[in-house]
Amino acid sequence: MTTTAVDPRVELAERIARLKQQRRAVILAHNYQLGEVQDIADFVGDSLELSRRATQVEADVIIFCGVMFMAETAKLLNPQRTVLIPDPLAGCPMCDMAPVEAVRKRKAELPGVPVVAYVNTTAAVKAEADICCTSANAVKIVNGLPDKRLLFLPDRNLGHWVQRHTDKEIILWDGYCPTHQRITARDVKRLKAEHPNAVVIVHPECTPDVIDLADEVLSTGQMLRWARESHAKEVIVGTEIGLIHRLRQENPEKTFYPISELTTCPNMKRITLEKVVWALEDMQYEVTVPADVAEKARRAIERMLEVV
Ligand code: 13P
Ligand code: SF4
């Protein structure tokens, strides 16, 4: 007698759907999540879209499939709701490159200079900032400020990209994303030689020499929109590998070449279907932000959401 193997992901997805109803939970996922995690989410988006979506939640519980700073942002915007992250070790090394003590010290050296914090920061650092930004709105946020000089943290590459689009003086912080740092200009040139008709789109967390070779520099949400609207049939993509899942799903007639298969964010990949099940079953791991930090950090995020 032969038995047909059942894909364990189907069973896990069914369990998640049942538990989600019982718990009155909603699942938010970042574009870099594993494909199967994206597929069970109620909403998948970039950092800005997820922050916006977090302000519209009606469920009792938010399961946040992403990294800790994103789950913290969802908590800041939903102080009355329970926010759970399926793996509390899903951090962001770029965040860790801007410890709050070092940020306070730098601020003291730059009196009167406003601080623009990329959302890839801890809640404690957001509480030190005048306003937050994401990769989708950084240029607009900076240009919307009245000041001529500002401290931008923690991503030196995003800060460098913003500097190309403003007359203001951007004081950089020396942080970077180790995942996007792996994308090299040599890889881009090799792929361009292999696929001469392809358009190159890259994330602004890439290094300036990679950005110099790109046709478009876009956040992950902007990449998805661009891919839907563009006539390009072949696209070379410079960002975390998880985005390829949605790009291919939404544009089956187009071909997407990741610049490097090595471009994976190990922290994003810590979230699995099993861990989502356990999060719902055991109501773990709760994301909390101390009240005094939360109040100031929320202000910096809300200011960003008021602008764009
Ligand atoms: P976006 O989804 O906002 O483009 O951000 C990418 C990222 O690296 C988040 O950590
Ligand atoms: Fe942080 Fe980079 Fe991972 Fe985004 S892709 S969460 S910036 S390490």
Side-chain angles (χ1 to χ4, degrees):
M1 197 177 82
T2 53
T3 50
T4 335
V6 180
D7 183 345
R9 286 173 302 187
V10 174
E11 203 207 316
L12 288 168
E14 286 168 2
R15 277 173 72 187
I16 290 168
R18 275 197 304 276
L19 285 161
K20 219 174 60 168
Q21 268 200 326
Q22 281 168 21
R23 297 290 192 195
R24 284 189 37 82
V26 67
I27 301 181
L28 306 185
H30 187 264
N31 288 323
Y32 293 160
Q33 289 291 288
L34 291 169
E36 62 254 37
V37 173
Q38 294 189 32
D39 292 344
I40 53 93
D42 296 289
F43 181 81
V44 186
D46 71 9
S47 309
L48 181 60
E49 292 163 343
L50 286 164
S51 306
R52 280 227 188 83
R53 188 65 178 72
T55 63
Q56 299 153 6
V57 166
E58 282 174 9
D60 296 340
V61 179
I62 299 174
I63 306 287
F64 202 100
C65 299
V67 291
M68 188 54 97
F69 76 80
M70 297 178 173
E72 271 185 354
T73 303
K75 179 64 187 176
L76 291 171
L77 295 168
N78 288 278
Q80 311 306 337
R81 295 195 164 79
T82 302
V83 177
L84 304 176
I85 186 161
D87 187 328
L89 297 181
C92 168
M94 186 205 281
C95 264
D96 299 341
M97 292 177 196
V100 69
E101 301 78 21
V103 171
R104 287 197 193 115
K105 187 163 172 273
R106 190 74 181 114
K107 271 177 72 174
E109 291 163 2
L110 298 165
V113 175
V115 177
V116 179
Y118 190 24
V119 284
N120 300 36
T121 41
T122 59
V125 168
K126 287 184 178 78
E128 297 291 330
D130 292 83
I131 190 164
C132 286
C133 74
T134 75
S135 58
N137 62 19
V139 171
K140 203 164 174 185
I141 294 285
V142 165
N143 282 329
L145 291 172
D147 315 77
K148 290 275 165 262
R149 249 179 126 215
L150 50 95
L151 174 61
F152 187 94
L153 53 87
D155 187 5
R156 65 184 182 212
N157 292 328
L158 179 61
H160 195 275
W161 165 245
V162 172
Q163 185 65 82
R164 294 186 189 198
H165 297 275
T166 185
D167 295 334
K168 297 170 194 279
E169 183 194 345
I170 309 285
I171 303 166
L172 298 175
W173 190 270
D174 201 18
Y176 62 90
C177 164
T179 300
H180 285 84
Q181 200 75 13
R182 291 210 186 118
I183 299 171
T184 66
R186 203 168 64 170
D187 289 332
V188 181
K189 285 182 192 153
R190 177 180 46 79
L191 271 170
K192 275 174 76 142
E194 284 170 20
H195 309 287
N197 295 324
V199 179
V200 181
I201 62 173
V202 305
H203 196 276
E205 286 179 14
C206 290
T207 55
D209 57 339
V210 167
I211 285 183
D212 286 341
L213 297 169
D215 297 297
E216 302 286 343
V217 180
L218 304 165
S219 78
T220 59
Q222 290 168 339
M223 283 183 182
L224 287 156
R225 239 181 331 277
W226 180 92
R228 283 194 294 271
E229 289 164 9
S230 156
H231 294 296
K233 290 269 167 269
E234 291 178 278
V235 188
I236 295 169
V237 185
T239 193
E240 208 275 345
I241 201 85
L243 190 72
I244 299 289
H245 176 75
R246 250 184 102 185
L247 283 169
R248 288 188 177 145
Q249 212 172 42
E250 293 178 7
N251 306 278
E253 73 294 357
K254 299 180 181 173
T255 309
F256 297 96
Y257 308 107
I259 292 181
S260 161
E261 297 287 342
L262 297 175
T263 322
T264 112
C265 171
N267 285 286
M268 285 282 180
K269 275 29 182 188
R270 292 187 81 97
I271 312 294
T272 60
L273 288 182
E274 285 86 349
K275 288 181 189 171
V276 175
V277 170
W278 299 331
L280 283 159
E281 277 179 350
D282 300 337
M283 294 294 280
Q284 67 189 19
Y285 294 89
E286 185 157 5
V287 178
T288 54
V289 182
D292 53 330
V293 171
E295 200 183 317
K296 289 191 207 144
R298 187 179 309 117
R299 203 51 223 121
I301 296 167
E302 283 173 350
R303 268 191 213 119
M304 166 184 85
L305 294 173
E306 280 157 21
V307 178
V308 273

